[in-house]
Amino acid sequence: MKFEEKKKVLRNCSFLSGLHDSILASLADHSSILDLEAQTPILTKGEDGSNMFFIASGRVKVHDDDVVLAYLGVGDVFGEMAVLDSGVRSASVTTEKRTRLLCLEREDLWHVIAQSPDSLRTIIASVLQRERDIVKDVTTRTAQLQAYEKELEIGRRIQADFLPEYIPEVENWEIASFFEAAREVSGDFFDVFEFGPDGYIALVIGDVCDKGVGAALFMTLFRSLIRATCQLGALNHQIASKASSEDHIRQILQTSIDSTNRYIATTHSKSSMFASVFFGVLETDSGKMIYINAGHESPVIFKRKGDPVILERTGGVLGLFDFARYNIAATKLEKDDLLFSYTDGVNEAKNEAGEQFSDWRILQAGASGWSDVQGLLDNVLSQIKEFRGRAAQSDDITMLAIACLGKSRDKAKSLV
Amino acid sequence: MGALSILVGQEQGHAPVTVFEIEGDIDAATYTELQDKAAEAIEAGAANLLLDLGQVEYMGSAGFRAIHSIANMLNTEQKPGMHKSEHVKLLNPKGEVARVIETLGFDSFLEIYDDRNAAVASF
């Protein structure tokens, strides 16, 4: 590259526009040429730097690891900040394609500028213009960010509608829930609703894989399908026979889970999204409960006396394979028993050392007793917070618990 | 960011089997490497995949989603009455990976082996 060509590169650079020809000539004289292949790292964020670069041809990427801040091309300059203030590089720069650069050392730049107060004024004006551009850019991006945040806030409010508005009050039973999203929107959900005429209540807790908007979209789908198929099943049955029976309730539970799984596995197969779900149907008179545990953290029945009962999984997660099978298991809640269900935000809550809260701390919380169902949830939550210390909440936390205060059927018997 | 190392081998069961010996964590940062490698193998004619997880320390939900998408890529009509995927199987999951497979119930979707010869012969 000839001297005249170097001068032309510098003249085309807006950063130096307005500099006197003799100054440009002097800078061209001190600059060296650098020819680089594509994907060559030039600057690394945080390192000391003593030179700046003018792009003669090609293209470079300004980035912070994987985050691209800008692409620069012919006529652009980079590396000037560390040269002017002797600080470290504020970002990394890597070539995008074959690139030719003019490189200027700090000492040479200052040496040339020192000879001409006018050139100093030009360079200060260029730096200030850059700052104005940055302020404009930040303003635009902040406005965009605020618009996104507003959208997310709307999403959060709409999603809250997909959790039960109220928990039904059931005689002899006490129900409590806790829900806290790690981000604005969440993949966790729970549901409690009565169905059928005979005092059955559905208890559902679920966790859609991943986090954020994708998980939230699928959460609304899983929750709605489960609730709708269950209520439709109950309605169909009511029309057909006007009376509930254990067999029909089993059928409703099975159909609800099977059809939810099949619908998502076939309709949304490409998304590969899944949810772990525990779905129990409790007969409130007797305390009998049938359930399907589809790949979910095992709920526990704590007893005032005696060992807790773990409700193991009866099938895999929902939403992936239409051929999957889900078995129904049965259990029974006696007076003073407490069923505690939760999502992995509880047992996998991490402390600063990266250790997990784990299942055994949950079992311990149950073993240490509870005043009422809300008391147990409060106890688990305060223990998670204490365990976590200063570590941030990394996952959604959901808990749903129900305690048996007595049974109408037992009372009826005792009256006889 | 831990990269995934995938060693590809060929074996012969009742049908040809492509074996992926996977090393590293399968998470949100690496699952696409597994997906891409599988797509490449399937493009080249592979119809049966055995995923050797013996050297995988961690598998997050992204890893399970990748396995599902691979099963989808290989999906031919599931025979009636079959309740496990016929063309993707797992070999040798251990520790935390084995625990999560069990919790999510992936052992009810996929066959899991601890012996390579037995796994190959099952295809």
Side-chain angles (χ1 to χ4, degrees):
Chain A
M1 203 183 198
K2 293 192 182 108
F3 172 74
E4 279 305 320
E5 283 176 67
K6 287 208 266 184
K7 219 169 94 181
K8 199 174 151 198
V9 171
L10 296 178
R11 191 179 294 120
N12 283 342
C13 181
S14 60
F15 190 77
L16 302 177
S17 71
L19 276 190
H20 195 272
D21 210 50
S22 62
I23 300 291
L24 285 178
S26 196
L27 289 176
D29 198 30
H30 284 94
S31 69
S32 56
I33 297 157
L34 214 57
D35 283 311
L36 301 169
E37 293 300 321
Q39 309 307 328
T40 309
I42 310 165
L43 306 183
T44 306
K45 183 183 172 181
E47 285 184 357
D48 286 328
S50 68
N51 45 15
M52 63 185 291
F53 302 88
F54 303 87
I55 302 175
S57 67
R59 194 170 125 102
V60 303
K61 164 175 91 172
V62 185
H63 60 103
D64 187 343
D65 273 340
D66 289 341
V67 182
V68 177
L69 305 171
Y71 290 100
L72 302 177
V74 177
D76 287 328
V77 57
F78 62 90
E80 78 287 357
M81 284 161 75
V83 164
L84 292 172
D85 70 357
S86 303
V88 296
R89 302 294 190 192
S90 56
S92 301
V93 179
T94 304
T95 56
E96 278 281 292
K97 51 184 183 178
R98 264 184 80 95
T99 299
R100 171 168 278 193
L101 301 171
L102 283 192
C103 170
L104 194 62
E105 289 296 321
R106 178 190 292 136
E107 296 314 316
D108 293 331
L109 177 72
W110 283 117
H111 176 72
V112 173
I113 289 174
Q115 296 164 3
S116 151
D118 274 354
S119 66
L120 187 58
R121 198 173 299 150
T122 303
I123 285 178
I124 289 172
S126 289
V127 170
L128 289 179
Q129 184 55 46
R130 278 218 155 182
E131 198 175 319
R132 284 199 188 92
D133 290 346
I134 290 169
V135 169
K136 205 170 138 190
D137 193 36
V138 168
T139 309
T140 314
R141 287 188 200 201
T142 306
Q144 279 171 351
L145 192 63
Q146 279 170 354
Y148 288 137
E149 279 170 355
K150 202 173 156 196
E151 282 296 310
L152 267 184
E153 172 56 23
I154 293 168
R156 191 191 63 73
R157 264 184 280 146
I158 292 176
Q159 199 188 16
D161 269 356
F162 284 85
L163 297 176
E165 196 179 355
Y166 65 93
I167 301 280
E169 278 185 32
V170 188
E171 200 190 343
N172 294 321
W173 295 86
E174 200 182 23
I175 307 171
S177 65
F178 177 85
F179 172 84
E180 188 174 58
R183 301 184 191 174
E184 279 82 356
V185 290
S186 145
D188 273 14
F189 63 99
F190 71 95
D191 208 354
V192 184
F193 56 93
E194 294 170 283
F195 75 98
D198 297 337
Y200 286 96
I201 54 169
L203 301 159
V204 184
I205 188 163
D207 180 1
V208 178
C209 61
D210 286 350
K211 296 178 196 68
V213 175
L217 286 171
F218 273 86
M219 166 274 188
T220 60
L221 186 58
F222 275 105
R223 188 272 188 167
S224 302
L225 281 173
I226 290 170
R227 188 185 255 244
T229 51
C230 186
Q231 289 181 332
L232 184 66
L235 192 67
N236 280 342
H237 168 61
Q238 228 175 309
I239 293 163
S241 69
K242 293 192 187 272
S244 291
S245 72
E246 264 182 53
D247 280 350
H248 277 106
I249 294 299
R250 284 181 77 89
Q251 208 177 5
I252 290 168
L253 172 62
Q254 189 79 57
T255 307
S256 178
I257 288 292
D258 285 347
S259 55
T260 299
N261 175 59
R262 213 167 294 143
Y263 178 87
I264 294 173
T266 51
T267 315
H268 298 285
S269 172
K270 277 189 186 141
S271 300
S272 293
M273 291 292 275
F274 61 84
S276 69
V277 172
F278 173 84
F279 185 176
V281 181
L282 179 73
E283 189 185 40
T284 53
D285 279 357
S286 64
K288 283 185 196 164
M289 186 173 78
I290 53 168
Y291 63 91
I292 288 177
N293 181 351
H296 195 75
E297 265 64 27
S298 298
V300 191
I301 299 174
F302 293 121
K303 296 181 174 290
R304 292 279 186 198
K305 282 177 197 157
D307 291 335
V309 178
I310 312 281
L311 306 184
E312 305 279 5
R313 73 176 170 82
T314 63
V317 287
L318 299 184
L320 293 179
F321 298 100
D322 60 353
F323 54 78
R325 279 191 299 193
Y326 299 91
N327 297 322
I328 292 179
T331 186
K332 194 172 180 190
L333 287 142
E334 304 294 348
K335 184 174 183 294
D336 289 335
D337 285 359
L338 187 154
L339 170 70
F340 176 73
S341 64
Y342 56 98
T343 57
D344 61 5
V346 175
N347 55 331
E348 292 178 9
K350 286 192 181 75
N351 64 12
E352 285 167 275
E355 293 158 341
Q356 295 193 346
F357 188 73
S358 81
D359 296 339
W360 73 265
R361 281 192 179 81
I362 294 171
L363 291 174
Q364 258 190 338
S368 66
W370 63 91
S371 52
D372 56 11
V373 69
Q374 187 62 49
L376 181 81
L377 294 199
D378 291 347
N379 180 20
V380 172
L381 192 65
S382 70
Q383 286 199 32
I384 292 173
K385 284 188 172 154
E386 194 185 324
F387 176 80
R388 215 162 52 199
R390 274 180 298 176
Q393 180 186 341
S394 58
D395 201 356
D396 309 324
I397 293 178
T398 305
M399 299 186 275
L400 175 63
I402 180 165
C404 179
L405 308 177
K407 287 181 196 172
S408 54
R409 203 169 279 179
D410 292 348
K411 274 184 203 158
K413 269 179 206 156
S414 65
L415 287 173
V416 172
Chain B
M1 235 181 297
L4 222 50
S5 137
I6 303 172
L7 199 68
V8 183
Q10 294 296 337
E11 296 265 10
Q12 184 68 39
H14 298 287
V17 181
T18 303
V19 186
F20 280 9
E21 283 176 38
I22 307 167
E23 194 179 339
D25 292 350
I26 310 177
D27 55 21
T30 63
Y31 77 98
T32 51
E33 293 175 46
L34 174 59
Q35 259 174 351
D36 293 349
K37 198 70 147 184
E40 212 175 280
I42 293 162
E43 183 77 13
N48 297 301
L49 264 182
L50 178 63
L51 305 178
D52 183 347
L53 302 174
Q55 293 172 90
V56 176
E57 299 289 331
Y58 171 84
M59 184 151 76
S61 65
F64 289 96
R65 295 178 60 200
I67 290 176
H68 172 258
S69 78
I70 293 169
N72 262 356
M73 285 187 236
L74 285 165
N75 191 27
T76 48
E77 277 298 297
Q78 189 78 11
K79 285 184 199 132
M82 283 290 299
H83 295 287
K84 288 193 178 179
S85 174
E86 290 173 82
H87 302 290
V88 183
K89 300 181 184 186
L90 305 181
L91 178 63
N92 234 345
K94 58 182 178 50
E96 181 63 14
V97 176
R99 191 193 70 82
V100 182
I101 286 174
E102 214 216 292
T103 305
L104 298 178
F106 260 67
D107 51 343
S108 72
F109 307 142
L110 306 177
E111 287 175 21
I112 298 172
Y113 293 86
D114 53 14
D115 179 75
R116 180 164 168 150
N117 292 334
V120 169
S122 75
F123 282 97

